[in-house]
Amino acid sequence: MKTGMLGLALLLTLSTAGRAQTADPATRELIEKLLARIDSLENRIAQLEQGKAAPAAPVKPPAPVGPTHEHDQAPSPSAVTAAEAAEPSYPLLKISGFSDVDFSASNLHGPSGFGAQTLTNAHSGFQEGQFTLHLSSALSPKVSVFSELTLTGRADAGTGSPPAAGFNAEVERLIIRYDVNDYAKISFGRYHTPINYWNTAFHHGQWLQTTISRPEMTQFGGSFIPVHFVGALFEGQTPASHLNLNYDFGVGNGRGQIISRAGDAGDINNNRAWLANAFIKPDALYGLQAGGSVYHDAINTTTGLAAGEWIESAHLVWQKESPEFIGEFANVRHKPINGGVVSNSQAWYLQTAYRLPGAGKKWKPYYRFEQIHVPRSDAIFRPVVPVFSGSTAGVRYDISSFAAFKLEYRNYWRRDLPSFHGIFTQTSFTF
């Protein structure tokens, strides 16, 4: 290419020398411009060969003709993009979902009693799982909203007058939170009560948990602990000498007259429920979590029973999957308001799991043993919480990073109810 340029330059030079006397001034000017252009191109080629070429200057559009004003000059696309990146547009809404499809076969062939407990309907066959939506939205750099909505199939769909709907819709959680800093976060709304580990670690999306079933003491719709809480929460965390201390302090409505429900429409008495929860996650033992909580409320049931309620709980968790270990204990103390026998009911469970190594890493076998003890003196729990003992064994297979298949065997015993055993399968997923 360079040789061609030199040849052209030589040709033009000779042509110029031979015709210099006869060429008119316009022709001579054109030849000089061509020679200057050739010199420029040769210099450019030399720079490119040495790898030192400077980027070409951008071509600027011609200046507008006539007077201009600031509002007439629209920003370039690149300038708009940079501004948007620096200043996000609020609100920023994100949506995720969970659901599952289940199959069961057991020795029972009808309702098992204790309405909302695990075995509400023990007929064998397929069941559409709970459909769950998580919606989170940032309202500003420090203010955010989170909600969890569920749709659950009804066994009595189409019956009654007016006919019952096919699904129950529920607002499980609705929280607005202001993050002052890592040490202080203030929120208001409807929560999963932070008085034990499982209730706040694993929510309604069953893909999140290793097993199909939840421990009996933390069943949604169950009565042993108040699963939901409506009120205000102050939470935060601090390094605390590498212990990573997390804490929660809350005040709210507590249980409703149906003690399995929260006080969504208001408190049933003039005594607010309150709770305190703390746990550590030390750096030196990454994966370990240990903590405890205390909860207090005054209960008034539909049967006219009234009692002060204290709940103390503790948990120890190893969160790594090889192995995984979860252990919890809770004591619920009821003291009748008008005098009577003070009762203490206890529940606990131990669950272990292990994700297989190497080629078997998609497989995760697990086992859980649990018990609930309710004394005959506990007039509030006796009608709704059975004495319980149960074993659960199964295996989880991760089909992908967002879907899992689970196979589970359960063997349950409840006082005053038939014993129960059955096989359960579930395909759970998130999207």
Side-chain angles (χ1 to χ4, degrees), residues 118-429:
T118 305
L119 309 177
T120 303
N121 192 327
H123 292 294
S124 297
F126 287 96
Q127 181 181 4
E128 184 175 353
Q130 195 174 62
F131 181 80
T132 305
L133 282 180
H134 286 184
L135 296 90
S136 59
S137 181
L139 305 185
S140 77
K142 289 185 175 290
V143 180
S144 60
V145 173
F146 176 82
S147 65
E148 182 177 46
L149 311 176
T150 61
L151 293 171
T152 308
R154 295 179 54 149
D156 61 345
T159 63
S161 182
F167 291 83
N168 276 336
E170 188 78 65
V171 178
E172 304 292 352
R173 287 183 289 165
L174 179 59
I175 303 163
I176 182 168
R177 189 175 77 179
Y178 174 59
D179 295 355
V180 181
N181 50 44
D182 287 343
Y183 305 101
K185 300 173 183 179
I186 303 168
S187 59
F188 303 88
R190 190 179 202 255
Y191 310 81
H192 286 153
T193 316
I195 59 171
N196 73 346
Y197 173 78
W198 195 289
N199 200 43
T200 52
F202 305 116
H203 301 290
H204 287 264
Q206 294 206 336
W207 174 82
L208 296 167
Q209 63 195 37
T210 299
T211 59
I212 298 175
S213 59
R214 297 170 66 88
E216 196 75 358
M217 65 183 285
T218 66
Q219 282 291 331
F220 291 126
S223 301
F224 191 84
I225 65 169
V227 176
H228 291 98
F229 179 81
V230 178
L233 198 66
F234 177 88
E235 58 188 304
Q237 58 181 342
T238 176
S241 300
H242 304 288
L243 291 176
N244 300 312
L245 174 65
N246 293 254
Y247 43 83
D248 303 276
F249 303 98
V251 59
N253 292 343
R255 298 187 192 253
Q257 284 192 311
I258 305 297
I259 65 171
S260 62
R261 300 285 306 180
D264 299 310
D267 206 340
I268 58 174
N269 51 42
N270 290 320
N271 294 280
R272 300 290 84 75
W274 61 266
L275 64 90
N277 175 48
F279 59 89
I280 59 171
K281 302 173 76 172
D283 289 341
L285 292 170
Y286 178 74
L288 176 69
Q289 178 174 320
S293 62
V294 61
Y295 173 96
H296 178 66
D297 191 17
I299 299 176
N300 292 88
T301 69
T302 54
T303 58
L305 296 173
E309 181 177 68
W310 285 91
I311 303 176
E312 301 92 17
S313 69
H315 70 268
L316 181 66
V317 178
W318 184 255
Q319 295 173 313
K320 293 185 177 180
E321 292 192 302
S322 300
E324 171 188 286
F325 175 83
I326 308 173
E328 292 200 74
F329 171 83
N331 180 80
V332 181
R333 180 174 179 264
H334 289 144
K335 182 179 180 180
I337 299 295
N338 298 320
V341 179
V342 176
S343 59
N344 287 275
S345 298
Q346 295 89 28
W348 63 273
Y349 71 88
L350 295 174
Q351 177 174 307
T352 184
Y354 189 89
R355 185 169 293 281
L356 301 180
K361 65 181 180 180
K362 293 185 177 182
W363 297 89
K364 188 178 182 183
Y366 57 84
Y367 174 76
R368 182 174 68 232
F369 182 77
E370 53 188 312
Q371 285 190 332
I372 296 177
H373 171 70
V374 178
R376 296 186 182 275
S377 59
D378 194 337
I380 290 177
F381 271 2
R382 284 287 294 179
V384 291
V385 179
V387 173
F388 170 83
S389 179
S391 289
T392 302
V395 63
R396 173 183 174 128
Y397 177 80
D398 287 283
I399 304 168
S400 75
S401 298
F402 307 103
F405 177 79
K406 306 174 189 178
L407 173 65
E408 189 170 283
Y409 171 77
R410 302 177 202 163
N411 189 349
Y412 290 171
W413 173 86
R414 289 178 170 87
R415 185 168 62 191
D416 303 327
L417 287 173
S419 61
F420 164 84
H421 57 87
I423 296 291
F424 296 79
T425 66
Q426 179 185 83
T427 300
S428 58
F429 50 92

